[in-house]
Amino acid sequence: MKFTNTKVQMMQNVHLAPETDEDDLYSGYNDYNPIYDIEELENDAAFQQAVRTSHGRRPPITAKISSTAVTRPIATGYGSKTSLASSIGRPMTGAIQDGVTRPMTAVRAAGFTKAALRGSAFDPLSQSRGPASPLEAKKKDSPEEKIKQLEKEVNELVEESCIANSCGDLKLALEKAKDAGRKERVLVRQREQVTTPENINLDLTYSVLFNLASQYSVNEMYAEALNTYQVIVKNKMFSNAGILKMNMGNIYLKQRNYSKAIKFYRMALDQVPSVNKQMRIKIMQNIGVTFIQADREKMKKAFQKLITVPLEIDEDKYISPSDDPHTNLVTEAIKNDHLRQMERERKAMAEKYIMTSAKLIAPVIETSFAAGYDWCVEVVKASQYVELANDLEINKAVTYLRQKDYNQAVEILKVLEKKDSRVKSAAATNLSALYYMGKDFAQASSYADIAVNSDRYNPAALTNKGNTVFANGDYEKAAEFYKEALRNDSSCTEALYNIGLTYEKLNRLDEALDCFLKLHAILRNSAEVLYQIANIYELMENPSQAIEWLMQVVSVIPTDPQVLSKLGELYDREGDKSQAFQYYYESYRYFPCNIEVIEWLGAYYIDTQFWEKAIQYFERASLIQPTQVKWQLMVASCFRRSGNYQKALDTYKDTHRKFPENVECLRFLVRLCTDLGLKDAQEYARKLKRLEKMKEIREQRIKSGRDGSGGSRGKREGSASGDASYVDPLGPQIERPKTAAKKRIDEDDFADEELGDDLLPE
């Protein structure tokens, strides 16, 4: 019944097309609509009125009803209203034909409803309906929400722990890490109850455990850190967790458990793939550092075992306990017997081994040599060799001296100076040497006196005292101190060397030679000793022996320019110019600033008439001594001799601008300008005449006794003649007599020369 009623209602909404009579196909063909008759438009008053007004220019009125099928009826000439058919004869959609409405083709389009046909507003998004109803709130007590909230809290605790660690609050960082660990375990239990174990957040668990282990490590809770790392490493669900074994190795290294540290480093190295080269290099570097640390510990343990070796020497038996003459006689008899001598040798050997071991290990067992010496001193003080602690302190000061840290050395030595006589003597000796090197001879002499008074048999103290006396020029007294040092210790090479220098100063050459020959027998390859022997043979006017010993010096140090120049000088005296040139040239090659060597080489090339080669040496000499006019004059002379007159003229002019009062330069300018036919010859001649008159007046003043003004004037001209002193900064630091090259070029060579001659050295 229900189905029947529904069907009836549906049929009521169906409109059938009206039945019409069949018309003729050609009916209406001759019908004519008067609206298209344009011939009667001129007589149509309504049309003419519309043309004359704005009514005809208005746009057509469109339909307000939203339907594409409704048309406006058009009045025909017969007064009836009919609808226009479409251009193809198809009735228009929704048009009314013969009183029957045709059904709509599209009943409902997208975004359009029936209300639109009744003039409703366009609202495709249905915004006029108002806001949507709120979503249904989730329950806060649901297991999923609790799990998400716990995850958020765990992440926040891990972040707070890391921030506290970066701020230096290690305790707070550890507390936060522990809280994160506790909440993470609660989170895991809840997840296991709600979901399967596969859905557990492994990344969160890894980050919590790793952060907790790191905080344990920085708080020096190494056992807890190792346990936490073990939990991560043994869990097979964590990928690449084996690399954390390197962190475990670091903890074992801090605990000085080097064997386990190396073990875990190697296990971590096996976990790192070969493509990660940087990480593998760092792990291998840690392994190397661990081996070094292990060696340091071994060295410390060996040193501690060394100082605990018993000597089995009873010192008390050599002290007389009573006034019994018989006991005292026995004690005196055994004080120097063979057993006592053997005990002394054993003790001396033990002390030597301990001192040598401390010197070797102190610079490497700690981060610095000072810390290493401090550790050795503390260990020695707690042993039976307490007296060696002060010797180690002195060695520490000497090490500071070798590193040129004089302030630290002086500070340590001044503290040791206040102790017993033996240590006081050693400290004062080193202080004396320090002040002597600083050329503070008064302080050096004072501390040398303290050292000698504390220990008269100290050869180093006597040698330092002799040095201070030698510096004051009292060579005889200095020789006495050196002799006393040699009597106390015949192997004191410093005293033997210094007494040889003292005999040389006293012109006792045979005794000086004897001292240096004895020293040469001890120090076979000492360049200083060889040079002093050669020097003494030169002073004894035995150049062949001097050359022989200097050749031995060259075999030891072949690049010493001073020794090479000395060999050149000796060969020059012997008349061997080729050998002299060879050694002078080698000396110039290693040290091209020795003015005497440069002068000799320039003069050699002038003698051999190689003017162009001589120019480069004189130009270098002019750079070294720019206030010496003779070098510029020699350069100009070489240009003139080589035929380059224009270059010679330019050089003379430049020299005249630098030294306008030099008479010799003006003379050559006058001569050269005259030979070349230049007009400047007259001007230079007038300047020359004026300077010669001034020179005559100056000579007259000198003769009349006005030495002051003449001397000052001579100083002003001294810049054009004198030689600058020169100290060789290279070569061995030994005392050498000053030497001068035989070939010298002075201003007198120019003053006594005729104008027509060449500027050549004598």
Side-chain angles (χ1 to χ4, degrees):
M1 184 67 183
K2 185 176 181 181
F3 175 78
T4 306
N5 293 336
T6 304
K7 186 175 181 181
V8 172
Q9 292 175 358
M10 292 176 62
M11 293 302 293
Q12 291 177 356
N13 295 328
V14 176
H15 298 280
L16 298 177
E19 297 180 359
T20 58
D21 298 334
E22 290 185 1
D23 295 335
D24 188 6
L25 292 175
Y26 299 98
S27 63
Y29 182 80
N30 295 325
D31 292 345
Y32 180 77
N33 194 343
I35 196 171
Y36 296 112
D37 189 5
I38 61 174
E39 295 180 356
E40 299 296 332
L41 289 178
E42 295 180 356
N43 300 325
D44 192 343
F47 179 79
Q48 296 297 330
Q49 180 66 26
V51 171
R52 288 193 295 268
T53 63
S54 62
H55 180 76
R57 294 190 294 271
R58 293 179 181 177
I61 300 175
T62 59
K64 295 183 179 180
I65 299 176
S66 302
S67 175
T68 60
V70 179
T71 59
R72 181 169 55 88
I74 303 175
T76 63
Y78 298 101
S80 64
K81 297 181 179 179
T82 59
S83 298
L84 294 176
S86 65
S87 60
I88 59 175
R90 179 180 176 272
M92 298 181 64
T93 304
I96 299 175
Q97 296 180 355
D98 298 334
V100 181
T101 306
R102 185 177 179 275
M104 300 281 291
T105 303
V107 178
R108 188 182 299 271
F112 295 90
T113 60
K114 293 181 179 180
L117 297 175
R118 295 190 292 270
S120 61
F122 179 73
D123 188 12
L125 300 179
S126 300
Q127 296 180 358
S128 61
R129 296 180 181 179
S133 60
L135 298 174
E136 183 179 358
K138 294 184 178 180
K139 296 181 180 180
K140 295 183 179 179
D141 296 336
S142 63
E144 291 81 3
E145 287 299 318
K146 288 183 179 180
I147 289 173
K148 290 182 179 180
Q149 186 64 27
L150 273 176
E151 282 187 353
K152 183 178 180 182
E153 292 177 2
V154 171
N155 282 320
E156 290 177 352
L157 286 172
V158 172
E159 291 178 0
E160 291 174 2
S161 174
C162 296
I163 293 172
N165 182 284
S166 63
C167 295
D169 194 348
L170 303 181
K171 292 184 178 179
L172 178 61
L174 180 59
E175 292 298 326
K176 294 290 184 181
K178 289 180 179 179
D179 293 342
R182 285 191 290 267
K183 289 195 174 184
E184 195 274 335
R185 287 191 292 272
V186 174
L187 175 63
V188 170
R189 286 194 295 268
Q190 290 189 5
R191 277 189 178 276
E192 290 175 350
Q193 295 175 2
V194 176
T195 61
T196 58
E198 289 78 8
N199 294 329
I200 296 176
N201 192 346
L202 293 177
D203 294 337
L204 182 61
T205 304
Y206 182 90
S207 62
V208 169
L209 291 174
F210 179 73
N211 179 61
L212 181 60
S214 300
Q215 302 306 329
Y216 277 134
S217 179
V218 297
N219 282 276
E220 298 182 357
M221 301 172 67
Y222 299 128
E224 292 82 355
L226 289 172
N227 292 334
T228 308
Y229 278 126
Q230 284 287 359
V231 173
I232 302 175
V233 171
K234 290 183 178 180
N235 194 336
K236 302 298 183 181
M237 301 180 68
F238 296 136
S239 60
N240 299 325
I243 192 64
L244 295 180
K245 292 180 180 179
M246 183 175 66
N247 293 15
M248 300 175 70
N250 292 339
I251 294 175
Y252 282 120
L253 180 61
K254 293 178 181 178
Q255 292 179 333
R256 297 188 176 184
N257 192 343
Y258 301 112
S259 59
K260 281 194 173 182
I262 294 172
K263 175 184 176 182
F264 277 89
Y265 282 142
R266 287 176 172 170
M267 293 169 66
L269 188 64
D270 295 336
Q271 297 288 331
V272 178
S274 58
V275 295
N276 197 345
K277 294 182 180 180
Q278 292 296 329
M279 180 61 70
R280 293 181 64 87
I281 290 173
K282 290 180 180 179
I283 295 176
M284 288 188 287
Q285 182 179 2
N286 286 5
I287 294 174
V289 171
T290 308
F291 274 119
I292 294 174
Q293 294 288 347
D295 292 339
R296 290 179 178 177
E297 292 300 319
K298 290 179 181 178
M299 286 188 287
K300 287 183 177 181
K301 291 179 181 179
F303 185 77
Q304 290 172 341
K305 290 181 180 179
L306 177 63
I307 62 176
T308 57
V309 174
L311 292 178
E312 299 179 355
I313 297 176
D314 186 10
E315 298 286 349
D316 296 335
K317 66 182 179 181
Y318 300 107
I319 301 174
S320 180
S322 63
D323 296 334
D324 185 4
H326 180 71
T327 305
N328 292 337
L329 184 62
V330 173
T331 303
E332 289 294 331
I334 65 175
K335 275 185 179 181
N336 201 25
D337 61 355
H338 292 291
L339 179 61
R340 179 57 175 165
Q341 292 177 1
M342 186 184 69
E343 290 177 346
R344 288 175 179 171
E345 291 176 359
R346 178 183 294 180
K347 184 177 180 180
M349 184 180 297
E351 292 178 350
K352 179 182 178 181
Y353 289 160
I354 292 172
M355 291 296 296
T356 304
S357 301
K359 290 178 184 179
L360 290 174
I361 70 172
V364 295
I365 58 175
E366 297 292 343
T367 56
S368 63
F369 82 92
Y373 269 110
D374 292 339
W375 182 87
C376 293
V377 168
E378 294 300 324
V379 173
V380 169
K381 284 182 178 179
S383 67
Q384 56 183 329
Y385 302 98
V386 182
E387 64 276 4
L388 295 181
N390 294 326
D391 295 337
L392 288 175
E393 291 285 353
I394 292 176
N395 288 336
K396 180 180 176 182
V398 172
T399 307
Y400 274 123
L401 286 177
R402 290 172 180 169
Q403 296 183 354
K404 297 183 179 180
D405 192 350
Y406 301 115
N407 295 330
Q408 289 288 342
V410 170
E411 182 179 350
I412 295 174
L413 292 173
K414 285 186 176 180
V415 173
L416 295 175
E417 183 194 355
K418 301 175 183 179
K419 296 190 176 182
D420 58 17
S421 59
R422 187 180 63 85
V423 178
K424 183 177 182 179
S425 177
T429 300
N430 290 324
L431 285 170
S432 175
L434 268 175
Y435 285 113
Y436 184 85
M437 289 186 292
K439 298 188 183 301
D440 189 351
F441 299 124
Q443 287 286 346
S445 179
S446 175
Y447 280 105
D449 291 335
I450 294 174
V452 172
N453 294 332
S454 300
D455 186 3
R456 188 71 187 183
Y457 299 98
N458 186 353
L462 292 168
T463 302
N464 284 354
K465 182 60 180 177
N467 292 341
T468 59
V469 176
F470 185 95
N472 293 327
D474 192 350
Y475 303 120
E476 293 288 351
K477 190 174 181 180
E480 294 299 326
F481 282 108
Y482 295 142
K483 289 178 181 179
E484 186 175 357
L486 287 172
R487 284 194 295 269
N488 294 334
D489 185 5
S490 60
S491 63
C492 183
T493 56
E494 293 84 1
L496 187 58
Y497 183 88
N498 290 349
I499 198 173
L501 293 179
T502 305
Y503 287 145
E504 184 180 335
K505 289 289 185 181
L506 294 172
N507 203 23
R508 295 157 63 176
L509 300 179
D510 293 332
E511 296 178 67
L513 182 61
D514 184 53
C515 292
F516 287 120
L517 289 175
K518 289 180 181 178
L519 192 58
H520 175 62
I522 301 172
L523 306 174
R524 300 296 300 179
N525 294 322
S526 174
E528 291 85 354
V529 176
L530 293 171
Y531 186 89
Q532 291 299 334
I533 295 174
N535 184 39
I536 292 176
Y537 274 120
E538 182 186 1
L539 294 176
M540 297 172 67
E541 297 181 355
N542 191 346
S544 60
Q545 284 292 325
I547 290 174
E548 181 180 347
W549 285 96
L550 283 175
M551 292 298 292
Q552 296 186 40
V553 178
V554 172
S555 65
V556 176
I557 43 174
T559 60
D560 189 340
Q562 189 71 16
V563 175
L564 293 170
S565 64
K566 172 60 71 174
L567 273 170
E569 179 185 349
L570 291 175
Y571 276 115
D572 187 28
R573 291 179 185 175
E574 293 295 307
D576 193 344
K577 295 291 184 181
S578 61
Q579 286 290 336
F581 171 77
Q582 177 184 350
Y583 287 107
Y584 271 124
Y585 182 78
E586 288 294 314
S587 176
Y588 173 79
R589 191 164 64 89
Y590 290 116
F591 185 63
C593 296
N594 190 333
I595 198 67
E596 295 178 351
V597 174
I598 294 172
E599 185 177 10
W600 191 94
L601 289 171
Y604 174 81
Y605 280 118
I606 288 177
D607 287 342
T608 55
Q609 298 184 0
F610 288 99
W611 317 104
E612 292 82 1
K613 291 185 177 181
I615 290 173
Q616 62 176 339
Y617 293 102
F618 293 130
E619 286 179 344
R620 178 172 289 274
S622 66
L623 293 176
I624 298 172
Q625 294 181 347
T627 59
Q628 297 292 322
V629 68
K630 65 179 180 179
W631 307 123
Q632 285 88 345
L633 293 177
M634 289 302 301
V635 172
S637 176
C638 291
F639 279 125
R640 185 166 60 87
R641 293 290 298 177
S642 63
N644 194 344
Y645 297 107
Q646 185 59 43
K647 194 69 176 178
L649 180 62
D650 295 339
T651 307
Y652 279 129
K653 288 181 178 180
D654 184 63
T655 305
H656 176 64
R657 283 192 298 269
K658 294 179 181 178
F659 304 96
E661 296 183 359
N662 187 270
V663 178
E664 287 73 23
C665 182
L666 280 173
R667 288 177 181 173
F668 286 106
L669 276 173
V670 171
R671 178 59 183 273
L672 193 58
C673 290
T674 302
D675 293 343
L676 296 176
L678 301 177
K679 297 180 180 180
D680 296 338
Q682 298 179 358
E683 181 182 355
Y684 290 128
R686 287 195 299 269
K687 291 182 179 181
L688 177 61
K689 187 176 181 180
R690 186 174 65 254
L691 284 177
E692 288 176 346
K693 288 182 179 180
M694 292 175 62
K695 187 176 181 181
E696 292 177 0
I697 294 172
R698 192 161 49 246
E699 291 176 354
Q700 291 177 1
R701 288 178 179 176
I702 293 173
K703 291 179 181 179
S704 61
R706 297 181 181 179
D707 297 334
S709 61
S712 63
R713 188 62 177 177
K715 289 181 181 179
R716 286 195 294 271
E717 285 197 348
S719 62
S721 58
D723 288 336
S725 60
Y726 174 75
V727 179
D728 182 14
L730 301 179
Q733 300 298 316
I734 52 180
E735 184 177 340
R736 301 170 179 169
K738 291 185 178 180
T739 60
K742 187 173 181 180
K743 289 286 184 181
R744 299 199 58 84
I745 306 171
D746 297 327
E747 191 178 358
D748 296 337
D749 299 333
F750 306 106
D752 298 335
E753 188 181 22
E754 297 294 335
L755 287 177
D757 296 336
D758 295 320
L759 293 178
L760 297 177
E762 293 180 354

